[in-house]
Amino acid sequence: MDQFPRPSRRGFLAGTALGSLALAAPALARGAPPARRWPDVAAPKHPRVPQVIEQLGRRRTDPYAWMKYVPEAGVRSPDTLPPPVAGLLKAENDYARAMLAPLRPLQDELLDRMLARAGGGVSPPPLPRDGWEYSAPVPPGALHPVHVRRREGRPPETLLDEAERARGQAYYRSTDHQPSPDHRHFAWAEDVIGNDRHRIVVRDTRHGTTRVLVEGDAYGYGALAFSPSSQWLFWIWRDRHNRPTRLYRTSVEDGDTHLVYEEHDPAIFMSLRRTAANGYVALTLSGPEVAEVRLIPAAAETSPPRVVVPRSAGLRYEIDEWDGSLVALTDRGGAFDRKIERLDPETFEARETLVPHRPGQPIVAMVPFRSALVRLERVDGLHTVAMLRPDGSERSLAFDDPAYALALPAGQDYNAPQAMIVHQSPRSPRRWIRIDLERGTREEVRREAVAGFDPDDYEVERVFAPAPDGERVPVTILSRKGTPRDGSAPLLLYGYGAYGVSSDPEFSVPATVLVDRGWRYAIAHVRGGGELGRRWFLGGRRFHKRNSFTDFIACAQHLAREGYCSPGRVVAHGLSAGGLLVGASMNMAPDLWGGVIAKVPFVDMLNTMSDADHPLVPLFRPDWGDPLADPAAYDYIASISPYENVRRAAYPPLLCTAGLKDDRVAYWEPAKLVAQVRHLSTSSEPSLLLTDMHAGHQGSGDIRSHFSEMALFWAFAACCLGRDPAR
């Protein structure tokens, strides 16, 4: 289960005991016979303690319910775990280390290749704002970015050195970096615990001092914003259930803090930002089927926020400002793939439709500039950028790649005559392209440096797999040129398919390192995601969720029929709600997969959705159903939940990961799945659980941590198929 916005995929092994794991079987030449290479180590056997659960007239037995531990107060930590749980996690980590130890040479080699390929540093071009240029390059050989700013005639100024802030911390991740409108202060949120509870830090550039403005319990990820005057910092607080529920206003000068708004509906999520032309602070209250925006105007920063359109079931909208009025990106009036309306800034009434609803052409985002309203949308599932000028004329930009992704970086200057976009594809590293908003011309400003990488050595394909009900499911495939189409190549298939979140075909250093070894890397754009608009999302949601799983299976089968791989030589990979996808697909077709990798997987679906105290359950009931109140939802969830549907069958090798401090998908979800698979599987393949005792849903935010985890996954995949293809 994920929380909006979708979290980063960074890893978690570096700097922990698990970081010393290595994953590498001896490299075998192409064509060598498959052979399993797992050590002969006895797996842990955990007690099965039947707990009978009666719910809505239904009765189920959970033999591993005892694995769940929720502290009465504070955060789970290795020092406070009950002995049975501490013993469980230690036994599983010890077993995983022993089983994966022979893979160390390959993991180390893969990690070295990833680090070398990315070793030139990542340095996005600076974004100009009021004469300043802000950027966050990762210096060559470094693991964390350094946030800096420049102004003509002045030396560069370091605002935040993340490596320095991370020094001595077992866990460190920062987010929401931003300057104040007057450019005197620079703020960010940082998590030094691993549980998504942030403190907020502010640097005073005039005096060169850095201080913690909010000590803790703040929420990052789009949850802090300076006021237009720069005098206040608005920020969102998390309650004991880790839900964002309060908006505070804190004086940047003296720390004086005031409660601005409190939300009492646990099914509502909060986010915060300043509008493009610096006219408002916008608090967005939203759920999967509802939204409400409250505005605080620049002229009255201490006034109560004013509601634009009261929340109403089935109405979703976002607010910004452009061309002297407010603009709403909304699904009002049945515009399920969204339209853009102009609103009166006083009455909030709709004046006109600026961009009409186009079914199947969803509007992903809008970014206002003075001279154009720029929007990111999808046509046939692929991104395009469109620019609407105040006179009503419009230009669109698209790219010829079979599959690619575009992005509009945050923090662009409303008054800038040009917009920056980022283009990438599985074979093309990120390119920053400047678009002239008047003429529509484009200029490549910078290209990501990737050492030892030639795009011409790779090919990207976009194919469509027929689903059982006739839908055509897009699949993006990355291969090295010349990889045979005779079924011999191993394939790693990634999928997510939830919350309308799209798995965009982005560039990935780990993916290129994998295909360099003869693999194919594919992304299954299954229903439940947003690649083909709202209809695609709804087709894999709630009582249609099974479509996500049958889509994923259909993608693997289609790729096998077409010679991209063969059955049994596909390794499935999913993250969080994508763990639900691969876990359910494993239950439905265990013989199709050569291995399954499930990172922090949402697999104990029925029990989690029956826990009203879970941070995300009230918010996401519209997506999954409510098994506490709806018998039909109970029965449907019970029929698809991976944990409840493990059966006696020959299961493939399974690797699950967890974070001890994870409140989104708790460690016991993969722990229970692994134990149940181990109990019922008729094969001798291992089921492994690795738990990071210092992290939550995300790993520590450095490059090495991310690459270390991916190297672990790739080496596990190689061992699953019995060989590491020739390089």
Side-chain angles (χ1 to χ4, degrees):
M1 182 182 291
D2 276 342
Q3 178 170 345
F4 293 123
R6 189 179 176 192
S8 163
R9 299 178 190 172
R10 287 180 183 267
F12 65 84
L13 293 179
T16 72
L18 302 183
S20 63
L21 284 174
L23 307 165
L28 302 179
R30 188 186 302 276
R36 301 299 185 203
R37 304 203 177 274
W38 307 112
D40 185 14
V41 178
K45 291 185 178 180
H46 304 298
R48 295 172 62 83
V49 184
Q51 177 175 312
V52 176
I53 302 169
E54 295 186 356
Q55 192 171 325
L56 296 180
R58 280 97 172 127
R59 185 184 181 94
R60 69 182 186 272
T61 301
D62 186 350
Y64 297 116
W66 65 268
M67 294 181 175
K68 179 177 179 177
Y69 166 61
V70 179
E72 293 184 5
V75 180
R76 280 187 296 270
S77 71
D79 298 332
T80 60
L81 290 176
V85 173
L88 156 75
L89 297 180
K90 182 179 186 304
E92 290 293 344
N93 278 346
D94 287 348
Y95 174 61
R97 291 189 186 100
M99 293 297 289
L100 297 171
L103 304 181
R104 178 163 193 151
L106 181 54
Q107 185 194 11
D108 287 349
E109 180 185 340
L110 291 168
L111 175 59
D112 288 346
R113 292 192 176 203
M114 293 176 195
L115 290 171
R117 183 154 282 181
V122 179
S123 182
L127 290 175
R129 197 169 187 91
D130 302 326
W132 290 97
E133 290 187 338
Y134 289 86
S135 61
V138 178
L143 304 176
H144 291 271
V146 178
H147 298 257
V148 299
R149 71 175 185 178
R150 295 175 173 83
R151 193 165 194 168
E152 188 175 354
R154 300 188 185 183
E157 178 182 359
T158 297
L159 302 168
L160 164 63
D161 184 338
E162 289 193 27
E164 180 65 30
R165 298 289 297 181
R167 186 169 292 118
Q169 305 284 356
Y171 182 96
Y172 184 84
R173 179 177 286 276
S174 68
T175 186
D176 280 13
H177 315 91
Q178 57 187 275
S180 58
D182 66 2
H183 299 279
R184 175 178 172 178
H185 294 97
F186 186 79
W188 65 91
E190 60 183 23
D191 178 5
V192 296
I193 300 173
N195 65 344
D196 279 345
R197 289 183 177 271
H198 296 75
R199 62 190 184 191
I200 299 176
V201 185
V202 174
R203 177 174 176 81
D204 185 332
T205 62
R206 182 178 299 171
H207 298 111
T209 57
T210 299
R211 74 187 193 282
V212 175
L213 186 68
V214 178
E215 292 289 345
D217 291 336
Y219 182 55
Y221 313 115
L224 63 140
F226 284 102
S227 68
S229 71
S230 303
Q231 296 180 37
W232 304 93
L233 187 73
F234 288 87
W235 58 278
I236 292 173
W237 174 85
R238 308 193 78 156
D239 67 10
R240 66 184 183 89
H241 295 295
N242 226 1
R243 296 172 184 148
T245 57
R246 294 179 187 169
L247 174 64
Y248 284 100
R249 181 184 70 245
T250 296
S251 168
V252 178
E253 191 65 33
D254 59 19
D256 186 30
T257 298
H258 302 267
L259 177 64
V260 177
Y261 175 80
E262 183 167 10
E263 177 59 51
H264 297 285
D265 185 346
I268 292 295
F269 187 80
M270 303 175 71
S271 61
L272 183 69
R273 61 187 178 82
R274 206 169 55 252
T275 54
N278 209 36
Y280 303 86
V281 171
L283 172 66
T284 300
L285 309 165
S286 62
E289 296 289 352
V290 68
E292 179 180 279
V293 177
R294 297 178 176 233
L295 296 179
I296 301 170
E301 294 179 345
T302 60
S303 64
R306 185 182 171 199
V307 177
V308 177
V309 180
R311 68 188 74 172
S312 174
L315 173 64
R316 299 172 300 129
Y317 69 99
E318 303 168 16
I319 295 293
D320 214 314
E321 56 179 329
W322 178 66
D323 192 29
S325 64
L326 297 174
V327 287
L329 177 57
T330 179
D331 62 1
R332 177 159 44 191
F336 55 85
D337 278 332
R338 305 206 287 184
K339 61 184 177 180
I340 299 178
E341 296 180 332
R342 186 193 299 274
L343 306 184
D344 185 286
E346 298 298 327
T347 67
F348 301 148
E349 294 294 326
R351 286 179 174 174
E352 63 176 316
T353 297
L354 295 173
V355 181
H357 175 230
R358 301 181 178 98
Q361 191 169 319
I363 302 174
V364 178
M366 63 178 180
V367 178
F369 293 83
R370 182 176 299 280
S371 56
L373 179 59
V374 179
R375 69 183 187 273
L376 182 67
E377 56 191 16
R378 293 183 188 274
V379 177
D380 296 328
L382 295 177
H383 285 140
T384 64
V385 172
M387 298 167 289
L388 175 68
R389 298 189 182 88
D391 64 6
S393 61
E394 186 169 291
R395 288 181 181 269
S396 294
L397 299 172
F399 294 80
D400 295 332
D401 310 68
Y404 62 90
L406 300 178
L408 294 164
Q412 301 197 51
D413 190 347
Y414 179 76
N415 296 309
Q418 300 163 321
M420 188 79 75
I421 67 171
V422 184
H423 169 275
Q424 59 185 312
S425 84
R427 64 178 288 272
S428 303
R430 287 179 295 172
R431 295 187 296 143
W432 287 267
I433 300 170
R434 187 179 290 129
I435 308 297
D436 186 286
L437 296 174
E438 289 291 336
R439 294 171 293 177
T441 56
R442 59 179 99 175
E443 174 193 5
E444 183 175 315
V445 178
R446 186 166 299 178
R447 186 181 294 252
E448 183 175 3
V450 181
F453 176 81
D454 185 347
D456 290 338
D457 292 338
Y458 303 82
E459 61 181 353
V460 173
E461 298 171 83
R462 190 171 188 246
V463 302
F464 292 86
D469 63 357
E471 284 283 7
R472 298 172 70 244
V473 185
V475 187
T476 300
I477 309 165
L478 174 69
S479 312
R480 277 194 74 97
K481 286 184 178 177
T483 303
R485 284 271 300 274
D486 59 4
S488 63
L491 183 140
L492 188 130
L493 184 64
Y494 175 82
Y496 186 75
Y499 308 122
V501 173
S502 301
S503 298
D504 287 320
E506 299 174 345
F507 182 78
S508 163
V509 165
T512 65
V513 169
L514 180 68
V515 302
D516 282 350
R517 307 182 79 86
W519 286 67
R520 284 189 168 93
Y521 178 87
I523 303 170
H525 304 284
V526 301
R527 278 173 283 184
E531 287 88 339
L532 298 178
R534 180 80 173 171
R535 184 186 66 84
W536 198 248
F537 161 48
L538 296 178
R541 183 198 199 206
R542 203 167 184 175
F543 293 119
H544 302 290
K545 187 60 198 172
R546 193 183 303 273
N547 287 338
S548 301
F549 315 146
T550 55
D551 284 358
F552 194 69
I553 292 168
C555 289
Q557 292 171 333
H558 178 73
L559 295 177
R561 284 194 302 270
E562 297 299 314
Y564 290 99
C565 59
S566 58
R569 291 188 57 72
V570 183
V571 175
H573 175 29
L575 155 69
S576 194
L580 168 67
L581 176 70
V582 301
S585 300
M586 176 182 69
N587 283 336
M588 294 172 69
D591 59 341
L592 180 61
W593 313 106
V596 174
I597 301 168
K599 178 179 175 179
V600 291
F602 175 39
V603 287
D604 191 15
M605 189 183 184
L606 182 57
N607 287 310
T608 293
M609 291 307 301
S610 298
D611 180 2
D613 289 331
H614 188 284
L616 302 181
V617 161
L619 175 64
F620 288 135
R621 281 175 179 145
D623 286 304
W624 306 112
D626 184 1
L628 291 173
D630 182 357
Y634 181 104
D635 293 341
Y636 191 80
I637 293 173
S639 75
I640 64 173
S641 175
Y643 174 55
E644 270 75 24
N645 288 280
V646 176
R647 57 193 173 92
R648 190 158 293 281
Y651 276 80
L654 171 65
L655 171 61
C656 292
T657 68
L660 179 64
K661 300 173 183 179
D662 192 347
D663 283 332
R664 305 184 206 179
V665 180
Y667 70 85
W668 58 79
E669 295 208 29
K672 291 165 71 174
L673 178 72
V674 163
Q676 190 75 329
V677 169
R678 197 179 287 154
H679 177 69
L680 291 175
S681 178
T682 60
S683 76
S684 60
E685 303 292 2
S687 295
L688 308 177
L689 172 66
L690 287 170
T691 302
D692 187 332
M693 307 301 284
H694 300 287
H697 201 60
Q698 302 180 87
S700 192
D702 65 90
I703 294 172
R704 188 181 186 91
S705 174
H706 171 49
F707 287 169
S708 180
E709 182 181 57
M710 300 312 293
L712 172 81
F713 290 165
W714 293 176
F716 174 81
C719 198
C720 286
L721 302 189
R723 64 178 184 177
D724 176 30
R727 295 177 276 288

